[in-house]
């Protein structure tokens, strides 16, 4: 232990602690605030009780020697740091900056100093104590751990001089390097950017002591002896900035004596060798010790004590340097907080070089080299431990981000929808990508696109991929369209596990006694039989208030063990993410091992699974588990619903989905961020990407940023489901609707020939035809009106094709504005990228500044207060794909009504024909008739089913009381 330890601790007002073994504290420990003395003891770093001393600067008792005058400098630094930290914590009460110190050795001097100063300033501190003989690699391993620890805001090293290699020092994260030893921080200092870097506390302490003493540094000759590395560089830079002439020398330099004679101030960077006489230093020369070991815990006693205005300067240098390190620590915390708050991203956009004619989508995608995803993540404010990297261009984002940014204001929320499309699609994904490319790459506005993950069914079918197109795409296209990070495969596995559990349970119940079933469900383990948590929940649901398995009666055991599933009521199907038409109807259970139990079943496409809808609507892992447990898979023989929770597989489903719940980060052709997460279809489900992706993106873009998400199919389906289902689940309020239209689709609605995928377009679509466009704008006008019913401003994005004429484009924009659109803008992103959607981006920004008057069109009721999800064709506002424009006076047949209880919605199936003459709804002028419907408020649900989609088209009349009663009885 150094002889200086008692002196320095007396200056701190703390008695020296007895030497002991080094402490290794992996968790940050809270230091006392030091704001006045407190009664009682306080736990120290080692977890033992020690007396409370009061403030570090105020415990000088009577007769104690007064601290040197220059400890007031350190006191001032600590007090300032304390005040700054207090101001930061007023606005951010949960903010607790942590200084981590990695120490190799048993010197406890700096542990004591750092702990006392941290307590006085109000910081947290943790020491990682390694053996003295630790290798470079062992030290670097600890450094890398602390670099990745988001709780740590500052990192310092207390290691021997021979371990201060460039390899070790530059392993430090420059943003946590509070000692200013990394090349990055030194480079910024030399370049003159001291406000952007950390400066060596030792070098700063030297300057502070000299300047506070009244010594003028301008024109003085400064000799730095025996210093090297970061300390030498920092000293020379700081002295030169103050007009000093600096000289550098080592102890064995032949000209050392003459340099010492010339110097006005001598800075000792290492211990003076015995052979160098003190007489070489001229009387009156100011001498300061600033050995690198000052912050390594090893003060040398052999250095000279040259007087500065009658005071010994070297005794104060270590204390002041430690205080300045605390100041750097507070600055680091302040920077970290600033980074968490809204800021304009420093995002490096990728340059496009559009070609004409425009190449194929895959050629464009492969011609662009995406940024490494970890670089993109850092640009948009994600921390290293908040992403899980998949390859070079994809990453999952952890949900912990939401907790970190919970106090961050959300950005603006934009929905991209479309008019009733042709079978070719009108480019909603392309518009979405073009818009965010324009916002971020060209207008320097933070923006995020949130898209659904495409199913391999449509990808390998006529429709193809869903990454956008032309120069407005998500890249790499192959990664986006195929597999991505395996979310759909996880859904497939979870879905089919549940399907297997259903049939297996039926088989066991058909072939075993009550007692055998009970013993298998609640087996003896080491002679003890216990219920699991999920089994206790089932007992409670059954009204059996017992927790001891041996106390159940035979009747209760039977009731608990048997679900009595009625095979004819099973609604849960197996899934596969491939279009395989021969699996649409199958027979299962034909093997002899199934003992004659067989039934007809089917495979659905994987994204049609209710688990996909659950993934898209959940907001946490806990919520997802609850939703998965509520999924109804069948009815029992008494007509009661059977859920996944009843089957006891909820935990297994959640484990299979634990990674799928994390949104996937990708990028556009111009390097702007995209979340790709969840992909429910827009017919039998709600057709929108995940709530979680939107919520995370809204936090990342900040209050002035934009999140642009897309709803499937036309506005009458995807947009309404976005509002009525997704916004109900998320609580988010949309600011703008971007309604995508094309001249091609409008001509179709105006009476043009039918459009078929894979068949060349008729000449009406490739030549100017103003009349067809004008007649078809009725569909655009109706979709604008639908959006306005929800109280959200509409910007029409006209996706321009090369065959569109100026007259046709101008006509569409004019009629859209007359119909009430906030603005209507032609877009050319497909051919030139974000540059072609800058006008659209500006219009969206302006529309978002208007106050949103968003409202729901109906109140939820029915099965668990669930909203309605109409399953109907996307090719018409009616149920008949061939009826274009704005159809009226048609019968809307409902073939079935189903419930996705886990996901949280009811979905009536709009069939091509009604099941009976009475099972229909007529669109007529007049009011909604309910006077003849008997029963509870459930009876209103069918009107909600209808009006959820067709209310904006005109009044409806319920002509079938029988069907309303049927619906009530089905739901009850």
């Amino acid at each position: 232990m150094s002889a200086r330890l008692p002196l320095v601790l007396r200056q701190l007002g703390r008695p020296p602690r007895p030497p002991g073994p080094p402490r290794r504290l992996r968790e940050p420990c809270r230091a006392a605030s030091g704001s006045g003395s407190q009664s009682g003891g306080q736990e120290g770093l080692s977890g033992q009780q020690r007396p409370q001393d009061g403030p570090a600067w105020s415990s000088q008792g009577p007769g104690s020697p007064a601290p040197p005058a220059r400890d007031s400098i350190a006191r001032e630094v600590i007090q300032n740091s304390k005040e700054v930290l207090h101001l930061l914590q007023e606005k951010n009460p949960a903010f607790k900056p942590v200084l981590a110190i990695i120490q190799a050795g048993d010197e406890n001097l700096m542990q004591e100093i750092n702990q006392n100063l941290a307590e006085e300033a109000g910081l947290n501190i943790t020491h990682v104590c390694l053996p003295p003989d630790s290798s470079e690699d062992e030290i670097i391993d600890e450094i890398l751990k602390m670099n990745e620890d988001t709780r740590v805001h500052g990192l310092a090293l207390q290691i021997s001089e021979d371990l201060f290699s460039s390899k070790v020092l530059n392993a430090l994260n420059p943003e946590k390097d509070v000692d200013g030893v990394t090349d990055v921080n030194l480079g910024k200092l030399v370049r003159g950017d001291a406000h952007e870097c950390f400066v060596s506390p030792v070098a700063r302490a030297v300057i502070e002591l000299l300047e506070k003493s009244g010594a003028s540094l301008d024109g003085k000759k400064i000799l730095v002896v025996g210093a090297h590395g970061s300390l030498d560089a920092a000293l020379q830079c700081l002295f030169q900035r103050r007009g000093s002439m600096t000289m550098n020398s080592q102890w064995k330099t032949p000209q050392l004596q003459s340099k010492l004679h010339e110097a006005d101030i001598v800075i000792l960077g290492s211990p003076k060798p015995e052979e160098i006489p003190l007489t070489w230093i001229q009387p009156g020369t100011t001498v300061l010790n600033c050995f690198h070991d000052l912050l390594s815990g090893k003060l040398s006693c052999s250095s000279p004590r040259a007087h500065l205005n009658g005071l010994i300067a070297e005794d104060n240098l270590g204390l002041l340097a430690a205080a300045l390190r605390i100041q750097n620590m507070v600055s680091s915390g302040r920077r970290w907080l600033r980074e968490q708050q809204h800021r304009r991203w420093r995002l490096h956009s990728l340059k496009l070089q559009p070609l004409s004619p425009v190449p194929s989508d895959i050629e464009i995608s492969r011609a662009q080299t995406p940024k490494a995803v970890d670089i993109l993540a850092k640009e948009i404010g994600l921390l290293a431990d908040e992403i899980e990297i998949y390859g070079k261009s994809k990453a999952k984002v952890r949900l912990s981000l939401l907790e970190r940014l919970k106090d961050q204001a959300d950005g603006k929320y934009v929905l991209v929808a479309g008019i009733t499309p042709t079978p070719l699609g009108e480019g909603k994904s392309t518009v979405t990508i073009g818009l965010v490319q324009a916002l971020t790459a060209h207008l320097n506005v933070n923006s995020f696109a949130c898209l659904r993950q495409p199913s391999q069914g449509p990808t390998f079918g006529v429709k193809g991929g869903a990454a956008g197109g032309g120069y407005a795409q998500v890249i790499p296209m192959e990664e986006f369209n195929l597999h991505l990070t395996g979310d759909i495969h996880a859904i497939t596995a979870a879905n089919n596990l549940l399907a297997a559990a259903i049939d297996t349970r039926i088989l066991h119940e058909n072939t075993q006694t009550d007692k055998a079933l009970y013993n298998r469900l609640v087996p003896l383990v080491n002679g003890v039989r216990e219920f699991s948590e999920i089994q206790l929940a089932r007992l409670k649901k059954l009204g059996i208030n017992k927790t001891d398995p041996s106390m159940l009666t035979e009747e209760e055991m039977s009731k608990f063990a048997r679900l009595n599933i009625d095979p004819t009521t099973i609604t849960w199907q197996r899934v596969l993410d491939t279009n395989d038409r021969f699996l649409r109807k199958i027979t299962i259970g034909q093997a002899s091992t199934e003992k004659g139990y067989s039934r007809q079943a089917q495979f659905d496409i994987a994204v049609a699974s209710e688990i996909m809808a659950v993934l898209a609507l959940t907001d946490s892992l806990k919520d997802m588990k609850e939703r998965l447990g509520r999924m109804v898979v069948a009815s029992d023989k008494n007509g009661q619903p059977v859920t996944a929770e009843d089957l006891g597989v909820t935990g297994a489903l959640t484990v299979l989905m634990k990674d799928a719940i994390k949104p996937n980060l990708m990028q556009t052709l111009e390097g702007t961020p995209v979340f790709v997460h969840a992909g429910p279809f827009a017919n039998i489900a709600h057709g929108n990407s995940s709530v979680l992706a939107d919520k995370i993106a809204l936090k990342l873009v900040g209050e002035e940023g934009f999140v642009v998400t897309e709803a499937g199919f036309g506005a009458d389906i995807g947009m309404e489901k976005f509002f009525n289902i997704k916004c109900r689940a998320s609580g988010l309020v949309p600011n703008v609707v971007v309604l995508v239209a094309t001249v091609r689709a409008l001509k179709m609605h105006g009476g043009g020939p039918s459009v078929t995928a894979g068949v060349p377009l008729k000449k009406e679509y490739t030549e100017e035809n103003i009349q067809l466009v004008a007649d078809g704008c009725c569909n655009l006008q109706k979709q604008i009106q639908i959006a306005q019913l929800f109280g959200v401003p509409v910007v029409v994005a006209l996706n321009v094709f090369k065959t569109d004429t100026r007259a046709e484009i101008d006509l569409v924009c004019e009629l859209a504005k007359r119909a009430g659109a906030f603005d209507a803008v032609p877009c050319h992103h497909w051919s030139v990228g974000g540059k072609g959607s800058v006008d659209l981006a500006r219009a969206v920004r302006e529309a978002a500044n208007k106050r949103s008057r968003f409202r729901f069109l109906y109140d939820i009721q029915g099965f668990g207060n669930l909203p309605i999800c109409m399953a109907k064709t996307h090719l018409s506002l009616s149920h008949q794909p061939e009826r274009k424009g704005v159809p009226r006076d048609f019968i809307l047949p409902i073939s079935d009504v189903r419930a996705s209880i886990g996901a949280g919605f009811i979905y009536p199936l709009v069939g091509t024909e009604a099941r009976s003459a009475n099972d229909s709804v007529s669109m007529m002028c007049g009011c909604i008739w309910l006077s003849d419907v008997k029963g509870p408020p459930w009876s209103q649900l069918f009107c909600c089913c209808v009006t959820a989609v067709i209310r904006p088209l005109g009044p409806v009349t319920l002509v079938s009381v029988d069907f309303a009663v049927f619906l009530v009885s089905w739901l009850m």
Side-chain angles (χ1 to χ4, degrees):
M1 180 73 66
S2 170
R4 302 283 175 117
L5 176 58
L7 171 62
V8 175
L9 291 183
R10 279 201 304 274
Q11 294 175 8
L12 287 168
R14 301 278 180 166
R17 295 177 187 164
R23 288 154 288 182
R24 182 185 183 91
L25 301 176
R26 302 299 293 156
E27 296 296 325
C29 52
R30 178 64 181 162
S33 65
S35 56
S37 61
Q38 301 172 359
S39 61
Q42 176 189 345
E43 287 194 5
L45 281 173
S46 60
Q48 299 176 341
Q49 291 287 324
R50 59 182 176 85
Q52 179 69 31
D53 303 293
W57 310 103
S58 60
S59 59
Q60 297 287 338
S64 299
R70 281 171 193 76
D71 77 349
S72 63
I73 306 174
R75 179 187 306 143
E76 182 183 337
V77 170
I78 290 299
Q79 183 61 28
N80 177 265
S81 299
K82 182 177 180 179
E83 291 172 359
V84 171
L85 183 57
H86 178 70
L87 290 173
L88 294 175
Q89 290 173 331
E90 280 186 345
K91 297 181 179 179
N92 307 274
F95 176 55
K96 296 180 180 179
V98 176
L99 170 63
I101 299 176
I102 297 175
Q103 176 178 340
D106 56 1
E107 288 285 350
N108 290 336
L109 168 62
M110 290 310 297
Q111 275 197 19
E112 301 289 341
I113 294 176
N114 287 317
Q115 177 66 20
N116 291 328
L117 293 179
E119 288 179 0
E120 181 65 19
L123 297 178
N124 291 348
I125 190 168
T126 184
H127 274 91
V128 178
C129 298
L130 303 178
D133 58 350
S134 297
S135 66
E136 276 191 354
D137 289 339
E138 289 172 329
I139 292 171
I140 289 173
D141 284 344
E142 294 295 336
I143 291 173
L144 296 179
K145 291 175 186 175
M146 292 296 154
N147 284 347
E148 298 299 316
D149 192 336
T150 55
R151 300 169 301 174
V152 173
H153 303 91
L155 180 55
L157 304 178
Q158 287 176 204
I159 56 180
S160 62
E161 187 72 27
D162 58 336
L163 287 173
F164 274 99
S165 66
S166 177
K167 180 181 178 182
V168 170
L169 296 180
N170 287 302
L172 288 163
N173 181 346
E175 296 175 357
K176 296 184 179 184
D177 170 29
V178 291
D179 282 344
V181 297
T182 58
D183 288 349
V184 171
N185 280 317
L186 285 170
K188 289 182 178 179
L189 175 63
V190 172
R191 195 171 63 227
D193 297 330
H195 61 286
E196 294 182 3
C197 67
F198 292 114
V199 181
S200 163
V202 177
R204 286 180 60 201
V206 169
I207 301 296
E208 288 282 340
L209 282 176
L210 290 172
E211 292 185 334
K212 293 291 184 181
S213 70
S216 173
L217 299 179
D218 188 20
K220 291 289 177 35
K221 293 182 179 179
I222 311 293
L223 176 62
V224 181
V225 185
H228 52 81
S230 59
L231 176 59
D232 183 29
L235 282 169
Q236 292 204 48
C237 186
L238 292 178
F239 277 122
Q240 288 171 3
R241 293 281 163 76
R242 285 158 177 80
S244 304
M245 296 180 291
T246 59
M247 300 178 289
N248 177 277
S249 178
Q250 297 303 316
W251 289 112
K252 295 184 179 181
T253 301
Q255 297 84 14
L256 177 60
Q257 184 174 3
S258 62
K259 290 183 177 181
L260 286 170
H261 275 283
E262 296 176 18
D264 299 309
I265 298 172
V266 176
I267 310 298
L268 306 183
S270 60
K272 178 188 74 65
E274 293 294 333
E275 61 270 20
I276 304 296
L278 289 175
T279 56
W280 285 11
I281 301 175
Q282 291 283 70
T285 301
T286 301
V287 180
L288 283 91
N289 284 335
C290 62
F291 304 163
H292 196 83
D293 287 348
L294 275 172
L295 289 181
S296 301
K298 297 179 181 178
L299 282 167
S300 173
C301 293
S302 61
S303 55
R305 293 190 172 190
H307 286 71
L308 177 64
N309 294 337
L311 295 175
I312 300 173
E314 62 192 65
D315 291 333
N316 302 282
L317 188 61
L319 180 60
L320 179 55
L324 289 169
R325 174 193 272 172
I326 295 295
Q327 188 180 72
N328 279 354
M329 177 64 208
V330 173
S331 297
S332 176
R334 180 167 51 189
R335 287 185 195 175
W336 184 85
L337 276 178
R338 189 168 60 242
E339 290 293 311
Q340 308 317 303
Q341 297 168 356
H342 167 66
R343 61 181 176 87
R344 188 163 289 176
W345 295 335
R346 294 186 290 272
L347 187 141
H348 169 67
S349 299
L350 303 179
K351 300 301 179 185
L352 288 181
Q353 295 180 331
L355 301 177
S356 183
V358 176
S360 68
D361 292 347
I362 189 67
E363 289 176 306
I364 294 173
S365 174
R366 289 179 174 175
Q368 184 70 289
T369 301
K371 290 181 284 192
V373 72
D374 58 330
I375 293 176
L376 174 64
K378 186 174 182 180
E379 288 177 336
I380 62 176
L382 288 166
L383 305 180
D385 69 337
E386 291 174 340
I387 61 170
E388 298 169 3
I389 296 175
Y390 285 65
K392 295 180 179 180
S393 55
K394 300 172 294 184
K396 280 195 166 290
V397 176
R398 294 176 178 168
L399 306 190
S400 58
L401 171 70
L402 285 172
E403 176 62 24
R404 176 170 69 87
L405 299 181
K406 63 183 179 182
D407 297 324
Q408 171 85 298
D410 286 347
K412 302 294 193 300
Y413 200 23
V414 180
L415 174 70
V416 175
I419 65 171
T420 306
T422 69
L424 306 179
E426 309 317 307
K428 293 190 305 296
S429 298
T430 310
V431 169
T432 301
I433 300 303
L435 175 55
V436 294
Q437 287 180 177
L439 283 166
T440 300
H442 298 271
L443 298 182
N444 198 25
V445 175
N446 295 356
S447 73
F448 235 109
C450 292
L451 300 177
R452 289 180 294 167
Q453 179 184 355
S455 164
Q456 286 183 185
T459 296
F460 286 107
V462 175
K463 180 181 182 296
Y471 287 100
Q473 292 189 53
V474 180
I475 57 171
M477 177 204 281
E478 303 99 311
E479 302 284 346
F480 178 93
N481 285 319
L482 305 176
H483 304 299
L484 197 58
T485 57
D487 293 351
I488 293 180
H489 302 315
I491 289 167
T492 302
N495 184 99
N496 292 345
L497 174 67
L498 179 52
I502 295 168
D503 289 306
T504 301
R505 187 62 173 263
I506 294 174
L507 173 67
H508 286 309
E509 291 187 19
N510 285 343
T511 57
Q512 296 185 46
T513 65
D514 291 349
K515 184 175 182 181
L517 274 173
Y518 187 76
N519 288 337
R520 296 189 71 168
L521 288 169
V522 195
L524 279 169
V525 179
N526 297 324
V528 179
R529 195 190 302 271
E530 292 182 337
F531 288 124
S532 66
E533 288 187 14
I534 197 169
Q535 290 174 333
L536 289 170
R538 173 161 170 75
L539 287 168
K540 184 178 179 181
K541 177 180 177 181
L542 295 172
I544 302 173
N545 298 315
K546 297 178 181 178
T547 58
D548 185 348
S550 64
M551 298 301 294
L552 267 65
T553 65
E554 289 187 2
E555 182 182 355
E556 289 172 336
M557 283 193 291
S558 176
K559 193 175 180 182
F560 169 81
R562 293 191 178 275
L563 297 178
N564 289 321
I565 297 172
D566 181 352
T568 64
T569 67
I570 295 173
T571 57
W572 195 264
Q573 308 297 343
R574 289 163 173 82
V575 298
L576 185 71
D577 198 35
T578 303
N579 283 344
D580 190 341
R581 64 188 308 122
F582 291 95
L583 293 179
R584 292 176 182 174
K585 285 292 179 184
I586 59 172
T587 302
I588 62 171
Q590 296 194 31
S592 59
T593 52
E594 273 54 74
K595 302 179 182 181
Y597 167 66
S598 64
R599 67 179 180 91
Q600 275 202 342
Q602 68 187 58
F603 272 83
D604 292 336
I605 196 76
V607 296
S609 170
E610 185 176 349
I611 296 177
M612 175 61 89
V614 166
L615 176 66
L617 291 171
T618 191
D619 61 7
S620 67
L621 194 64
K622 179 177 180 293
D623 176 67
M624 182 174 72
K625 184 177 180 181
E626 292 172 354
R627 288 174 180 268
L628 291 172
R630 291 197 300 264
M631 294 188 304
V632 176
V633 300
S635 298
D636 64 18
K637 293 175 182 177
N638 294 320
Q640 296 301 309
V642 177
T643 67
E645 184 83 357
D646 293 327
L647 286 158
V649 297
T650 307
L653 301 182
T654 306
V655 168
L656 286 171
M657 294 292 294
K658 68 179 178 64
D659 291 319
I661 196 174
K662 304 166 190 172
N664 304 293
L665 177 64
M666 295 188 75
Q667 63 192 280
T668 68
L669 277 166
E670 297 191 54
T672 66
V674 179
F675 274 142
V676 186
H677 197 218
F681 279 161
N683 47 14
I684 61 169
H686 64 290
N688 286 267
S689 61
S690 77
V691 166
L692 278 170
D694 290 359
K695 285 190 169 184
I696 292 174
L698 285 165
K699 295 297 183 185
L700 286 171
V701 298
E703 192 170 6
E704 301 302 319
F706 287 80
V707 170
V708 184
T709 188
E710 173 200 348
F713 295 156
D716 58 308
I717 301 181
M719 181 187 72
E720 295 201 33
K721 293 177 180 181
F722 171 84
F723 291 147
N724 286 320
I725 299 176
K726 187 176 182 180
C727 289
R728 285 186 201 270
S730 68
L732 299 173
V733 175
N735 297 93
V736 182
V737 168
V738 173
L739 190 63
V740 178
T742 62
V743 169
R744 176 181 66 194
L746 293 172
K747 286 180 176 179
M748 178 189 71
H749 289 297
S754 63
V755 176
T756 305
V759 177
L761 291 171
K762 301 292 177 58
K763 67 176 184 178
E764 287 85 350
Y765 296 103
T766 58
E767 298 176 358
E768 183 176 282
N769 192 318
I770 297 295
Q771 190 60 50
L772 278 181
V773 174
D775 293 343
C777 278
C778 60
N779 187 273
L780 172 61
Q781 292 162 348
K782 181 55 64 177
Q783 302 284 19
I784 293 172
Q785 293 170 16
I786 294 174
Q788 289 177 329
L789 284 173
F790 288 93
V792 184
V794 178
V795 174
V796 172
L798 182 61
N799 192 13
V800 176
F801 288 37
K802 63 181 180 180
T803 55
D804 300 344
T805 68
R806 172 51 58 184
E808 290 172 331
I809 294 170
D810 291 344
L811 176 63
V812 173
C813 292
E814 176 62 26
L815 292 178
K817 293 175 185 177
R818 288 185 192 176
F822 177 85
D823 203 350
V825 183
C827 305
H828 304 271
H829 44 263
W830 182 82
S831 57
V832 296
K835 181 181 177 181
S837 282
V838 168
D839 289 343
L840 174 64
R842 291 194 174 111
V844 168
R845 288 181 70 182
E846 189 175 349
N849 290 328
K850 292 187 65 178
R851 182 184 174 188
S852 176
R853 301 182 182 275
F854 175 70
R855 65 186 183 93
F856 297 113
L857 295 189
Y858 62 89
D859 295 326
I860 53 175
Q861 35 191 325
F863 202 145
N865 295 328
L866 303 181
I868 308 304
C869 178
M870 296 293 281
K872 64 174 287 291
T873 179
H874 63 291
L875 296 175
S876 172
L877 288 171
S878 72
H879 65 288
Q880 298 168 302
E882 67 277 7
R883 299 192 68 173
K884 306 302 180 182
V886 183
R888 295 182 182 277
D889 302 325
F890 58 88
I891 302 296
L892 184 71
I894 305 294
S895 62
D896 198 1
V897 181
R898 298 178 185 175
S900 289
I901 305 305
F905 53 77
I906 305 290
Y907 61 102
L909 302 182
V910 181
T912 55
E913 295 180 359
R915 294 190 303 177
S916 69
N918 289 330
D919 294 349
S920 60
V921 171
S922 178
M923 298 286 298
M924 301 178 182
C925 295
C927 300
I928 301 177
W929 268 37
L930 285 174
S931 58
D932 292 336
V933 180
K934 310 300 183 190
W938 298 82
S939 58
Q940 300 177 23
L941 181 57
F942 180 64
C943 292
C944 292
C945 294
V946 177
T947 57
V949 169
I950 59 178
R951 177 181 176 185
L953 307 181
V956 297
T957 298
L958 180 62
V959 296
S960 172
V961 175
D962 292 340
F963 184 78
V965 174
F966 154 76
L967 189 68
V968 171
S969 63
W970 185 89
L971 291 173
M972 295 184 66

